[in-house]
Amino acid sequence: MAEHNSYTVSINSHESNSELSVLFSGEGKPHPLHKMGPAVHDYYLIHTVHSGKGTFEMHNRTYTCETGDSFIIFPGELFSYTADAEQPWHYTWVAFNGRSAGMTMTQIGASPQNAVISGSSPRSIRHYYRRIRSCFHPSMQPALEDIAAAGWLRLLLRELGRAGNPHVMEKPATETDIQRQVNQAVRYLELQYTQTVSIEQLARTLGYHRTYLCKMFKQATGLSPMQYLFKIRMERAKQLLETAMTIDQVASSVGFNDALYFSKQFHKWSGSAPSVYRKERTK
């Protein structure tokens, strides 16, 4: 383009209706004082500055953006941006939309009122932009490339989220932090109850000390992690016993390799053997 020293853009040829979908991505080195806007887009558009500087205006705020800054245009918001007269910026960009786009931007700490994220690593960020653009080279499977591009976009947004919240892990744990950690453990157990699970494995996977994990989990739920896991398994077993599955199949489906041991544990928990429970429920 005449207003750029260099300019390239890659377009997603697949029309997607997914939760998060890249529309296009590019890279440019505009001339000094090159300006876009005032204008409005109907999609999200992120620019990351790799060198030089410029100004970005949106939602009655003006930002000066330099290397490592990313400015975010939100759909329906009037914006403009201008390259510096002496050191015009070099940036990459990605446009996207999707049902979860707005929620994702909230998760990384971005909003029309807070539309610039500083402190990202230009090298790692550029890698994600390159991978996004590489998905849109001529392909016989554009739908699969659309999926891949969305994956790289998520990694890019994660990087921006980390840059926007660099001190989150340095703060003392609050009640909300502890609840979030317990929720992580509960979620893990709810998804892995069919597998062999140990306290050591759970703590290692979530990155917590074993003793700390057990203490905060019991304070929040009234049960130890293993008691909670047992409860999940037994509740799921009750549901499966109302189907046509055999006792062996139910046992295996809730993480017990030994059907006899499962039957004993179920009897201890519910007061009835699995076969008796089934008869009572199907009368």
Side-chain angles (χ1 to χ4, degrees):
M1 284 192 170
E3 296 177 330
H4 291 74
N5 291 316
S6 65
Y7 178 93
T8 181
V9 65
S10 299
I11 306 294
N12 184 356
S13 63
H14 179 73
E15 187 173 345
S16 174
N17 189 32
S18 59
E19 300 233 339
L20 201 63
S21 180
V22 176
L23 302 176
F24 58 86
S25 181
E27 182 169 359
K29 295 180 180 180
H31 292 164
L33 296 177
H34 167 261
K35 183 174 182 178
M36 287 291 294
V40 172
H41 289 329
D42 60 357
Y43 48 78
Y44 295 86
L45 180 60
I46 300 176
H47 288 71
T48 298
V49 181
H50 303 299
S51 63
K53 58 185 178 179
T55 58
F56 169 59
E57 297 180 36
M58 194 180 73
H59 211 76
N60 298 318
R61 288 191 64 181
T62 300
Y63 307 83
T64 298
C65 299
E66 302 177 330
T67 302
D69 293 337
S70 295
F71 61 91
I72 305 166
I73 296 166
F74 284 75
E77 292 285 345
L78 189 68
F79 72 88
S80 65
Y81 55 90
T82 308
D84 186 71
E86 301 296 330
Q87 303 176 56
W89 45 23
H90 165 207
Y91 47 41
T92 48
W93 63 85
V94 60
F96 60 94
N97 60 14
R99 297 186 301 276
S100 69
M103 179 183 68
T104 302
M105 300 311 290
T106 299
Q107 289 173 335
I108 70 170
S111 68
Q113 297 80 23
N114 184 34
V116 171
I117 294 177
S118 301
S120 62
S121 167
R123 178 173 296 182
S124 62
I125 289 289
R126 288 188 73 177
H127 170 72
Y128 294 133
Y129 278 110
R130 282 195 296 268
R131 295 308 299 259
I132 290 171
R133 294 199 302 276
S134 72
C135 294
F136 303 138
H137 293 163
S139 170
M140 298 297 292
Q141 298 176 308
L144 298 183
E145 300 302 335
D146 172 67
I147 294 172
W152 289 112
L153 173 62
R154 289 180 184 277
L155 292 174
L156 170 64
L157 295 175
R158 180 195 64 176
E159 189 77 13
L160 293 176
R162 287 176 171 176
N165 300 278
H167 305 300
V168 169
M169 298 309 294
E170 298 176 10
K171 299 185 299 182
T174 64
E175 184 176 348
T176 302
D177 293 330
I178 291 172
Q179 187 58 54
R180 176 182 55 80
Q181 293 162 357
V182 171
N183 289 342
Q184 283 182 316
V186 167
R187 181 66 171 163
Y188 181 94
L189 295 175
E190 288 175 341
L191 294 176
Q192 296 296 311
Y193 69 89
T194 63
Q195 308 298 319
T196 300
V197 178
S198 68
I199 287 291
E200 289 75 13
Q201 179 188 35
L202 177 61
R204 184 170 61 251
T205 300
L206 299 179
Y208 306 130
H209 189 276
R210 182 183 188 279
T211 303
Y212 172 73
L213 174 64
C214 291
K215 180 180 179 181
M216 69 173 186
F217 195 97
K218 189 157 190 176
Q219 284 178 343
T221 68
L223 301 172
S224 71
M226 291 301 98
Q227 288 171 332
Y228 197 92
L229 173 63
F230 184 76
K231 179 175 178 287
I232 291 173
R233 286 172 166 167
M234 294 298 103
E235 292 288 353
R236 179 58 176 155
K238 285 170 59 177
Q239 296 173 348
L240 296 178
L241 286 169
E242 296 181 22
T243 71
M245 294 175 67
T246 67
I247 302 299
D248 282 359
Q249 290 169 339
V250 171
S252 179
S253 298
V254 296
F256 288 86
N257 295 324
D258 184 333
L260 180 59
Y261 180 68
F262 160 72
S263 296
K264 290 179 179 178
Q265 293 301 310
F266 187 86
H267 187 279
K268 183 187 298 184
W269 182 75
S270 69
S272 301
S275 57
V276 174
Y277 179 85
R278 167 172 281 168
K279 289 179 181 178
E280 292 174 347
R281 300 295 292 182
T282 55
K283 284 181 180 179

